[in-house]
Amino acid sequence: AGARGRVGADARDASASIAIPSLRWVGNFTGNVFFIQEDIATTPDPVTGDRRESQRTQNGFEVSFSRRLPRRTDLLYGYLFEDTEVVSPDFAEPQTARTAVLRGSLLRDTRDSILDARTGRFLSFSVDYAPPFLRADFTFVKGLAQAFLALPIGRSLTWAHGYRLGLGKGIAGQSIRSTERFRAGGANTLRGYESDTAGPFHP
C-alpha cells in the first residue's frame, strides 16, 4: 500500500494505491484512487491575444491486473472510473462528465537496463474501450502503440529513439472529448513546448 502527492506549476495530483501480487487465475492486482488538477493552455484571447488557461479536475479509481506471458511479455487489463470537471473561459459554467473505460495492454521489454538502456526494445500496445453498456457520458475507442529502441554504436555511443502512434474514434456519432485526446509537449515528449500545449486546445 502507498500514497503520493505532487504539486507543480501546471499540475497537482494525489493518489493512494494497494497491490496484491500473485492472485490465482487473475495475476497481480492493483487498486488506485486518484485526484488530478491541471492548468491547460487554450486558444489565446481573440481580442488581446493574451494567454488563457482552462482548469481540468479529475478524480476516480482504477482496478487493474497483470500477468507475465512468455518471451518477456506482460498482459495488463482493468477498469477505470472517472469524474471530470473543466472550468474554461470558453464556457459560461463548469462542464462535467463521467467516464468508464475497459483497458488492455501488451508490453514487451528486452532492454538490458530500464534506466540506461544500451541495447534492446520496449514495445507496447494499449486499447481503451468505453462502450455504451457502461452507461458513461462518452463512448469511444482509442489505441496507442509505442516503440522505444536502443542500439549500441561502437563502444561508447547508443542511438536511443522512440516512436508513438495514437488513434481514436467516438462511438455512436460522438467525438472524443478533449480529456481523452492525445497531446504532447514538455520534457518527455516535445521539448521546446510547454506541457501538453501541442495538441487540440478546445476543452
Side-chain angles (χ1 to χ4, degrees):
R4 58 162 287 180
R6 180 179 60 174
V7 177
D10 299 318
R12 298 150 295 279
D13 66 71
S15 63
S17 62
I18 184 171
I20 304 175
S22 303
L23 291 175
R24 190 176 184 181
W25 307 118
V26 297
N28 303 322
F29 166 80
T30 302
N32 180 55
V33 294
F34 59 87
F35 169 85
I36 304 170
Q37 191 173 71
E38 299 175 287
D39 300 324
I40 302 170
T42 64
T43 51
D45 188 284
V47 177
T48 65
D50 292 340
R51 172 189 170 95
R52 301 191 304 166
E53 288 186 343
S54 297
Q55 186 178 83
R56 181 175 67 205
T57 302
Q58 300 164 268
N59 60 82
F61 69 90
E62 182 173 11
V63 293
S64 60
F65 303 88
S66 64
R67 293 183 63 88
R68 173 55 60 95
L69 303 178
R71 298 174 58 84
R72 299 176 69 173
T73 301
D74 292 291
L75 170 65
L76 292 78
Y77 56 98
Y79 171 77
L80 169 71
F81 178 86
E82 177 183 284
D83 280 322
T84 302
E85 180 183 76
V86 176
V87 178
S88 170
D90 294 325
F91 300 141
E93 298 180 354
Q95 304 295 298
T96 60
R98 176 164 293 176
T99 305
V101 183
L102 301 174
R103 291 183 155 177
S105 299
L106 274 175
L107 312 175
R108 186 166 188 258
D109 191 353
T110 61
R111 296 172 296 178
D112 58 345
S113 170
I114 296 177
L115 299 179
D116 187 19
R118 173 77 171 152
T119 184
R121 303 173 179 179
F122 175 83
L123 307 174
S124 73
F125 177 71
S126 60
V127 174
D128 283 5
Y129 179 44
F133 67 78
L134 292 180
R135 299 187 179 278
D137 293 324
F138 295 94
T139 55
F140 61 89
V141 60
K142 67 177 185 178
L144 176 65
Q146 301 183 92
F148 299 96
L149 316 174
L151 178 68
I153 301 175
R155 295 185 177 181
S156 58
L157 296 177
T158 301
W159 181 31
H161 47 122
Y163 307 91
R164 295 182 176 96
L165 175 64
L167 299 172
K169 181 176 177 58
I171 298 174
Q174 290 189 353
S175 299
I176 294 183
R177 65 189 180 119
S178 63
T179 55
E180 300 296 339
R181 296 173 188 169
F182 299 103
R183 289 189 175 89
N188 295 322
T189 53
L190 293 177
R191 297 183 181 183
Y193 290 84
E194 294 184 26
S195 179
D196 291 338
T197 57
F201 291 109
H202 295 289

